[in-house]
Amino acid sequence: TSGTENSTYWKFMAKGVASELSGLGNNKIVTTDGSGNVQALSIGSANQVLQTNSSANGFQFGTISSEIVKLAEVTTSSNASTLDMHGYFDDSAYYSYLMKASIIGLSGNQQNRMRWLTASNTEYSSSSYAFGHDYMYRHNNSNTGGSGGMNFGNNYGDFMRFSDWSQHSGRTFELKAEFTNPTSSSKYKTCSLYCSNGNDGDTYHVSGSLVHTETRTNTAFTGIRLYLNGGYYLDGSVFKLYGYKK
């Protein structure tokens, strides 16, 4: 009776005891505190991970912190000839930005270009884009090659270029653009652009072009527009924008 056997007639084969785990519920992580007491930690939100808390005396669920944040991602469709990334800049949170694109092809041999966008989503098309250009090339039918480029000087245009060479439509390639403080209203804007694809009618092949651009204006910019000087990006090309935290 009352959990105690009458030993004259009976012997316990098994006897249950009250458990500290009873009543903890489902979807819990069971831990103990510094005194050995059982505790239950509720499951976190989607994509959170189990972490040590700030006092280093227990556990919690939290989001993994990263110095690099993906701000936007766009995949081209419907024969897109332009691509905008607008409204993602926050210079109070990020000290620089990286646009990275994986191009699966073009409708024809064309040049990739870029312009700043203002707050009204308007292209900045003034001839204030000064640039310097460096590249290496190789002849398709010989072992000859070389390098070339242009200095800043009087080289102004109304757009930023990834290369002075056209990009071959039959090749996949990569684009990158890195820039800092685009929303500043007191400083010129600098941008480094890279393209892994270039050709001259299949006669020369460029093994990468690097262009440094200085936009000589104090205009504040809130976005970028990528476009071609003709034709369109093949569907499935992916453009991503990242911010580097301060």
Side-chain angles (χ1 to χ4, degrees):
T1 59
S2 302
T4 302
E5 82 277 14
N6 184 329
S7 59
T8 303
Y9 305 105
W10 305 97
K11 292 292 183 183
F12 271 121
M13 296 297 293
K15 183 177 180 180
V17 296
S19 173
E20 293 176 300
L21 302 180
S22 62
L24 293 182
N26 299 325
N27 294 327
K28 301 290 196 303
I29 298 293
V30 179
T31 65
T32 58
D33 61 18
S35 300
N37 299 313
V38 174
Q39 296 178 325
L41 176 65
S42 297
I43 194 170
S45 302
N47 299 319
Q48 288 188 324
V49 298
L50 186 64
Q51 301 173 329
T52 305
N53 64 23
S54 58
S55 300
N57 61 5
F59 300 95
Q60 65 184 21
F61 279 95
T63 303
I64 297 176
S65 178
S66 173
E67 293 300 308
I68 304 174
V69 179
K70 184 170 72 172
L71 304 176
E73 178 175 339
V74 180
T75 301
T76 57
S77 61
S78 304
N79 299 339
S81 57
T82 63
L83 186 136
D84 290 359
M85 291 180 167
H86 188 258
Y88 299 102
F89 298 160
D90 182 358
D91 292 353
S92 65
Y94 307 105
Y95 74 87
S96 68
Y97 303 86
L98 169 67
M99 187 289 301
K100 191 175 186 300
S102 299
I103 310 299
I104 66 169
L106 306 174
S107 61
N109 297 345
Q110 304 292 345
Q111 285 187 0
N112 286 264
R113 298 174 175 179
M114 191 170 85
R115 280 175 171 161
W116 296 112
L117 295 173
T118 64
S120 60
N121 204 30
T122 302
E123 287 186 33
Y124 183 78
S125 57
S126 174
S127 295
S128 300
Y129 297 94
F131 66 95
H133 183 205
D134 293 301
Y135 59 88
M136 295 180 291
Y137 62 89
R138 182 182 179 88
H139 196 283
N140 189 41
N141 297 315
S142 70
N143 290 323
T144 60
S147 61
M150 293 176 287
N151 298 320
F152 273 106
N154 293 319
N155 293 313
Y156 288 88
D158 61 359
F159 59 87
M160 289 179 274
R161 65 202 69 210
F162 288 88
S163 175
D164 259 359
W165 300 65
S166 293
Q167 282 72 68
H168 196 289
S169 62
R171 299 186 179 96
T172 60
F173 59 95
E174 181 181 60
L175 300 175
K176 292 180 183 178
E178 297 184 79
F179 45 91
T180 303
N181 294 330
T183 65
S184 172
S185 58
S186 62
K187 294 180 175 63
Y188 290 173
K189 317 302 184 294
T190 59
C191 183
S192 295
L193 304 100
Y194 169 79
C195 177
S196 65
N197 175 355
N199 83 98
D200 181 19
D202 278 335
T203 302
Y204 292 96
H205 296 279
V206 180
S207 61
S209 296
L210 181 63
V211 179
H212 294 287
T213 297
E214 180 179 83
T215 311
R216 295 182 172 176
T217 177
N218 293 334
T219 302
F221 299 117
T222 54
I224 54 175
R225 172 168 294 166
L226 293 105
Y227 67 101
L228 300 166
N229 64 335
Y232 53 86
Y233 298 100
L234 296 188
D235 293 354
S237 296
V238 179
F239 296 76
K240 298 181 180 182
L241 179 67
Y242 299 90
Y244 289 79
K245 286 183 179 179
K246 288 187 172 180

